[in-house]
Amino acid sequence: MDLLVLGGTVFLGRHVVEAALVAGHRITLFHRGQSNPGLFPACEHVLGDRDGGLGALAGRRWDAVIDTSGYVPRMVRDSATRLAAQAAHYTFVSSISVYADTATGPTEDSPVGVLADPADETLTGGSYGPLKALCERAVQQAFPGHALIVRPGLIVGPDDPTDRFTWWTRRVARGGEVLAPGVSSAPVQLIDVRDLAQWMVRSIEAGVAGTFNATGPSTPLTLGEVLETCRVETGGSAQFTWVSERFLLDHGVQPWSELPLWVPAADEGFLRADASRACNHGLTFRLLADTARDTLEWDRTTPAGTRPKKTGLSGSLAGLAPDREARLLQEWRDAGEPEA
């Protein structure tokens, strides 16, 4: 197949391209040339900005488009509308953040968030999901019956620029007393970037259309299991001190950003999304132990200066600074509260 990838040089896009190349497809990458510009020398690279710069793609045809870099509805609408006459299928990477209700586990048919002003392109924690939902709608309108909408949860693994899972493998490997947030039985959902990328390529090959929650694993996973797996696979001597949600919130600790994988109990539905539809369409998951081990190995062997950095909406990489973690643990002990 001839595939056009909008993005394709960072994290998920990078792994999608790698999976497509392994499968024997021909790839055109459309990107700005700012992140990992030397990747994939065997692929065709078309440099440009999707915000008004799509003219460089005129007059071409592809079997499918893969959009891993769309956040603003106006830009996604422009891309999908322009490419509707140049491709037969469009895959858009969205997010489970589209859902309006974070208290219960959503299915693909659950209501999505709505912006008060659909024309407002400001990207914030509150607008990210509704903006993605509008992007989805734009793709579906341009490619009716031929759009694959992928709603991942937390994507983890090698080449992750956010540090959200990588920080835990690094922190647990360092050992010592580790601040563990909330309760060990709290739910966690995540997906290895390689599993997601390979499933996307297989789905595109099969012409799959529709909307799919793409997170895992296929059986329930807890935060305690994640941290223990990291401890075993990284060979660390970490000891986990479980600190209550109330204490963390009272001390201004930011869920998800300062302590990745953790959200308050009221928002746990965000980590209970129903991915059975994707599983029924061939989504599979490698062992969490493999992901943890591979992630730490990548982290240890890849110089920090060579990695693209995605700080997210918080403006910083994920994870607690060591001195802040130490202070919080000391204050928790001083408070004399029982372990969460």
Side-chain angles (χ1 to χ4, degrees):
M1 299 178 71
D2 291 307
L3 304 177
L4 170 63
V5 181
L6 305 180
T9 62
V10 177
F11 200 30
L12 176 58
R14 174 178 184 163
H15 284 274
V16 167
V17 172
E18 289 177 352
L21 289 173
V22 169
H25 302 304
R26 296 170 296 276
I27 311 295
T28 300
L29 296 172
F30 179 78
H31 59 96
R32 295 176 294 177
Q34 296 181 357
S35 300
N36 296 321
L39 277 181
F40 308 121
C43 295
E44 178 187 14
H45 292 252
V46 178
L47 299 184
D49 193 321
R50 64 185 299 165
D51 190 4
L54 294 170
L57 300 175
R60 303 282 301 279
R61 285 201 60 84
W62 294 272
D63 295 299
V65 179
I66 306 171
D67 187 348
T68 66
S69 60
Y71 299 91
V72 179
R74 173 181 54 82
M75 297 183 198
V76 172
R77 184 178 302 107
D78 191 24
S79 301
T81 302
R82 285 173 176 264
L83 293 168
Q86 297 175 250
H89 188 275
Y90 197 111
T91 294
F92 178 71
V93 178
S94 183
S95 169
I96 59 169
S97 294
V98 298
Y99 296 113
D101 182 4
T102 59
T104 59
T107 71
E108 290 85 354
D109 299 321
S110 298
V112 299
V114 177
L115 289 175
D117 179 6
D120 187 353
E121 298 180 353
T122 305
L123 192 61
T124 67
S127 69
Y128 172 74
L131 285 171
K132 278 287 194 179
L134 290 174
C135 292
E136 293 180 2
R137 187 184 308 169
V139 171
Q140 291 165 329
Q141 290 172 343
F143 284 80
H146 299 279
L148 172 61
I149 306 299
V150 181
R151 293 174 175 170
L154 176 63
I155 308 173
V156 304
D159 303 302
D160 181 4
T162 71
D163 251 10
R164 289 178 295 192
F165 180 74
T166 308
W167 181 82
W168 277 115
T169 66
R170 186 189 310 132
R171 174 63 191 93
V172 172
R174 193 169 79 238
E177 186 182 18
V178 177
L179 192 159
V183 294
S184 62
S185 59
V188 170
Q189 285 187 315
L190 46 77
I191 185 168
D192 190 295
V193 64
R194 297 164 292 185
D195 295 333
L196 178 58
Q198 291 162 15
W199 175 75
M200 286 173 56
V201 171
R202 293 194 302 268
S203 298
I204 293 164
E205 291 170 343
V208 174
T211 301
F212 296 85
N213 291 336
T215 190
S218 54
T219 56
L221 179 67
T222 68
L223 182 55
E225 290 171 323
V226 172
L227 298 189
E228 180 61 19
T229 298
C230 289
R231 188 190 65 78
V232 171
E233 295 304 320
T234 62
S237 57
Q239 298 176 329
F240 302 113
T241 297
W242 292 90
V243 177
S244 74
E245 171 185 311
R246 179 184 57 77
F247 177 90
L248 294 173
L249 294 177
D250 286 349
H251 285 73
V253 177
Q254 296 300 309
W256 202 250
S257 55
E258 283 193 293
L259 283 171
L261 310 185
W262 167 63
V263 296
D267 296 324
E268 283 183 354
F270 179 67
L271 297 172
R272 297 184 188 275
D274 180 0
S276 59
R277 181 183 295 179
C279 292
N280 291 337
H281 279 75
L283 179 61
T284 58
F285 310 95
R286 69 192 66 209
L287 293 175
L288 177 62
D290 294 339
T291 299
R293 188 171 54 251
D294 293 349
T295 300
L296 184 64
E297 176 63 19
W298 166 78
D299 185 51
R300 285 174 167 172
T301 58
T302 305
T306 67
R307 309 179 192 180
K309 291 298 184 183
K310 182 178 179 181
T311 59
L313 300 176
S314 66
S316 61
L317 287 170
L320 276 177
D323 57 342
R324 178 155 162 77
E325 180 189 23
R327 286 197 306 271
L328 287 166
L329 286 168
Q330 185 59 55
E331 291 176 19
W332 172 253
R333 285 190 293 271
D334 291 345
E337 298 189 44
E339 190 168 342

